[in-house]
Amino acid sequence: MANTQQMANAIRALAMDAVQQANSGHPGAPMGMADMAVGLWARHLKHNPANPQWFDRDRFVLSNGHASMLIYALLHLTGYDLPMQELQNFRQMGSRTAGHPEVGHTPGVETTTGPLGQGITNAVGMALAEKLLAAEFNREGHTVVDHHTYAFLGDGCLMEGISQEAISLAGAWKLNKLVALYDDNGISIDGSVQPWFIDNTALRFVASGWNVIGPIDGHDADKVAAAIAEAHKQTERPSLVICKTHIGKGSPNRANTAKAHGEPLGAEEIALSRESLGWSHAPFVIPDEVYADWNARATGHAAEQAWNDRFAAYQAAFPELAAEFTRRMNGDLPAHFAQTAVDTVVGAHTKAETVASRKASQLALEAFTAALPELLGGSADLTGSNLTNTKSTPNLRFDLQGNVVKNEHGVGGRHINYGVREFGMAAIMNGVALHGGFIPYGGTFLTFSDYSRNAIRMAALMKQRVIHVFTHDSIGLGEDGPTHQSVEHAAALRIIPGLDVWRPADTAETAVAWSVALSNREQPTALLLSRQNLPYLSKRDLGDISRGAYVLSEPKDVGLKKKAQAVIIATGSEVQLVLAAQKQLAEKKIAVRVVSMPSTTSFDREDVKYKKSVLPAGLPRIAVEMGVTDFWWKYGCAAVVGIDRYGESAPAGVLFKHFGFTAENVAATVRAVLAGKK
């Protein structure tokens, strides 16, 4: 019989010792949640330490990521490739035990957590992905998608507003295989939370459609395990298990205080804690019998082998479905994708339609959603404006029993109504991508990317293929005024490391942007799209668009047989403006090259030779974009036609003239540069 108390104490000891050795970290939460971890990891969690990426494993999310030593201790004790040396190097350069858990860095970590509230929201995305994949691929007698998503979370997660967005959607979607365990210890960094956190958490979750269990004694592993078993009986509702715990459990002088939260206990207090817990072993020493109680390799291998056997039977009965499932879970695009992308871009070029780039996005999506069943779309209550829906993506709906509603062909919806929840949408999309099987995309107005920003940053940090469709990209949206007119947002998104940002000028550039975004397996993308119609721009070829910037028009294209005297760079809706200015300048025998730069981030990754071919040395450069000017100076511009203030409420055409976005002003700016007056 396993000694559950010693199993929990092993976690407490490792947390104390690692934080003390690093002289940095958070020992209190791991010590408080240790028994909860025994109840879940030793009794219920389906996982295989020898194969952390096994498709049908349960997902575990430590939403309160500051408690990272909890998951590192669990991974080590259960048999993952995380040796004791890594725990001894907690929070040190090059170790696999970073200050907060990082996906892709530590085997067994499912998502990067630390920004509170996002972990539970990622878990909602994971649970949604499991439910949708099960509805799509499982067949009678052949269940190949059948796992739970678990999350530990604390007071901080629940205080962050994103948590309400997440739990509300989880209830609406009836994610019955989502089980959250709340570490209810009543302590945060500033002390007892009672003066500032008086929510009735149980009723809050009940009101959002959850099944609530407890409060229970979170230090009784048997009760925790029983509560999880009770949660498994749910067929229509996600479950919250409220676990009353003591932060720093076992520490005589630090338990139940903020001092246990974010600093080492100190050698003297650790010695007292060891005595209090009955743990007499030296730092970083775990008895063999405790290792044996925790070791999950045999049970993990058996669970995966049983699934392999089921999948083999599934493969024999449904070979095409099995191949599709494997492709999707591996994140591979179908073999025909490259041709689909070419056909979509060439089709846009051939039709040469004058439409808003948000509409151009929808036109591209019609082709891509038809070809890629893994595309899972959505919008934050702006579907009619973002144009994220297509003929292939009906709205996702669930019946009263929680089942995915399917059409007459047995196909469920692939477009999600997220409601007015931009941050929640972004973090849920991260969870969907992390789970695998889908490529999520979601839309809102560009100005509301601020709401989503930290989740966008997390997608970039985690290298996840998530696509953000941001429409109404400038003052060109007109009468809605400065609250909705994006001025600083393009620049702000471009400085996020690892985020690809596209602001296309026409249908072909938009189709290329989508094809590149879908091909970026380890990079999120933001598409910045116009509300107003944009004319199609004549092009010699389409090959260089994917490089982020290309020469769109030379002096000879407007009748001048002379070399360019300057280069004008523009993005999105402003490219047409620059072409008009080029013609005006040509009438005065001034030759300029026009460069369309739909993606500064892609262009910045190009080699020096290509960059110089597009932006030759020695030619003055003028950038034109309806946004802040600071961003553009890095390209060595002599002048920038931009806007360094907020907009106004007026029709778009009036605003363009008011802020100087006219061909005449661009031409005048070029002449001033050439005259040395800029």
Side-chain angles (χ1 to χ4, degrees), residues 210-494:
W210 285 57
N211 168 51
V212 176
I213 301 172
I216 64 170
D217 181 359
H219 297 302
D220 187 327
D222 292 335
K223 288 183 179 178
V224 173
I228 295 170
E230 184 68 25
H232 287 175
K233 298 176 183 178
Q234 286 294 313
T235 58
E236 300 172 14
R237 293 182 294 172
S239 293
L240 175 74
V241 180
I242 300 176
C243 301
K244 299 294 289 187
T245 63
H246 301 283
I247 192 171
K249 169 74 172 177
S251 171
N253 300 302
R254 295 286 185 89
N256 301 315
T257 71
K259 292 288 284 183
H261 174 81
E263 62 184 61
L265 297 182
E268 183 178 343
E269 186 66 16
I270 288 176
L272 292 173
S273 300
R274 275 182 151 75
E275 183 179 350
S276 170
L277 294 169
W279 186 267
S280 59
H281 313 288
F284 299 106
V285 172
I286 304 296
D288 289 343
E289 61 269 22
V290 175
Y291 272 126
D293 287 342
W294 268 117
N295 195 317
R297 281 183 165 257
T299 55
H301 174 76
E304 182 177 356
Q305 187 56 52
W307 182 83
N308 287 338
D309 292 342
R310 292 199 306 275
F311 191 76
Y314 179 77
Q315 197 168 30
F318 308 101
E320 292 182 0
L321 273 177
E324 177 69 0
F325 176 79
T326 301
R327 177 190 74 78
R328 295 260 298 268
M329 292 304 295
N330 284 333
D332 299 328
L333 294 173
H336 59 71
F337 172 75
Q339 189 59 52
T340 299
V342 169
D343 292 344
T344 303
V345 175
V346 171
H349 178 64
T350 302
K351 292 179 181 177
E353 294 175 279
T354 294
V355 294
S357 54
R358 61 172 175 165
K359 181 62 178 178
S361 170
Q362 188 180 46
L363 294 172
L365 273 173
E366 287 288 358
F368 289 127
T369 54
L372 304 177
E374 59 264 47
L375 271 174
L376 182 64
S379 172
D381 203 46
L382 290 167
T383 301
S385 294
N386 301 149
L387 304 183
T388 46
N389 57 331
T390 70
K391 295 175 183 176
S392 300
T393 57
N395 288 329
L396 177 64
R397 295 290 183 265
F398 300 93
D399 63 23
L400 294 177
Q401 288 72 46
N403 302 308
V404 175
V405 175
K406 299 182 179 181
N407 62 18
E408 65 275 15
H409 304 294
V411 177
R414 283 199 284 144
H415 189 272
I416 300 171
N417 301 105
Y418 284 99
V420 188
R421 300 183 181 95
E422 294 88 357
F423 193 6
M425 174 179 71
I428 285 170
M429 289 197 296
N430 289 349
V432 168
L434 286 160
H435 180 278
F438 294 101
I439 301 174
Y441 67 92
T444 188
F445 290 171
L446 178 56
T447 191
F448 301 139
S449 64
D450 286 338
Y451 287 139
S452 308
R453 186 175 181 83
N454 201 261
I456 297 170
R457 179 181 186 270
M458 294 302 293
L461 180 63
M462 296 188 289
K463 300 181 179 180
Q464 294 302 303
R465 180 164 46 184
V466 175
I467 303 171
H468 292 271
V469 179
F470 293 125
T471 67
H472 296 58
D473 70 345
S474 69
I475 62 171
L477 65 89
E479 294 86 346
D480 278 343
T483 58
H484 286 54
Q485 292 167 4
S486 307
V487 174
E488 74 275 28
H489 299 80
L493 289 169
R494 288 168 179 150

Side-chain angles (χ1 to χ4, degrees), residues 106-121:
T106 309
V109 170
E110 299 284 2
T111 181
T112 301
T113 54
L116 295 176
Q118 288 196 59
I120 180 60
T121 314

Side-chain angles (χ1 to χ4, degrees), residues 503-677:
R503 188 167 182 254
D506 62 12
T507 53
E509 287 189 4
T510 306
V512 169
W514 266 108
S515 65
V516 172
L518 292 167
S519 300
N520 282 343
R521 290 184 62 125
E522 297 185 347
Q523 190 172 38
T525 300
L527 305 178
L528 318 186
L529 308 169
S530 74
R531 178 194 188 191
Q532 71 272 28
N533 286 343
L534 307 179
Y536 189 78
L537 309 175
S538 179
K539 301 172 183 63
R540 294 185 196 85
D541 61 67
L542 305 169
D544 287 337
I545 299 176
S546 63
R547 306 181 81 164
Y550 63 102
V551 178
L552 178 63
S553 181
E554 294 280 32
K556 65 181 179 180
D557 296 317
V558 288
L560 284 184
K561 295 181 179 180
K562 56 190 296 190
K563 292 184 178 179
Q565 298 165 262
V567 178
I568 313 178
I569 310 165
T571 76
S573 55
E574 290 80 271
V575 178
Q576 59 173 317
L577 176 66
V578 166
L579 290 173
Q582 182 195 35
K583 291 180 180 178
Q584 289 188 12
L585 291 164
E587 292 172 359
K588 296 183 178 297
K589 308 303 180 185
I590 299 174
V592 298
R593 166 185 284 187
V594 173
V595 169
S596 179
M597 192 178 285
S599 177
T600 62
T601 51
S602 294
F603 180 67
D604 289 348
R605 293 194 298 270
E606 286 294 327
D607 57 53
V608 173
K609 181 179 179 181
Y610 182 73
K611 289 178 181 177
K612 287 183 176 179
S613 73
V614 176
L615 303 176
L619 290 184
R621 302 163 187 173
I622 299 91
V624 181
E625 185 175 62
M626 293 185 204
V628 293
T629 59
D630 276 357
F631 172 83
W632 288 100
W633 302 114
K634 75 173 188 173
Y635 293 109
C637 293
V640 179
V641 178
I643 174 171
D644 287 316
R645 51 154 291 188
Y646 295 111
E648 299 281 352
S649 182
V654 174
L655 292 173
F656 296 156
K657 292 179 181 179
H658 178 74
F659 288 109
F661 292 102
T662 64
E664 291 75 16
N665 185 48
V666 173
T669 302
V670 173
R671 291 197 301 271
V673 167
L674 293 176
K677 296 179 180 179

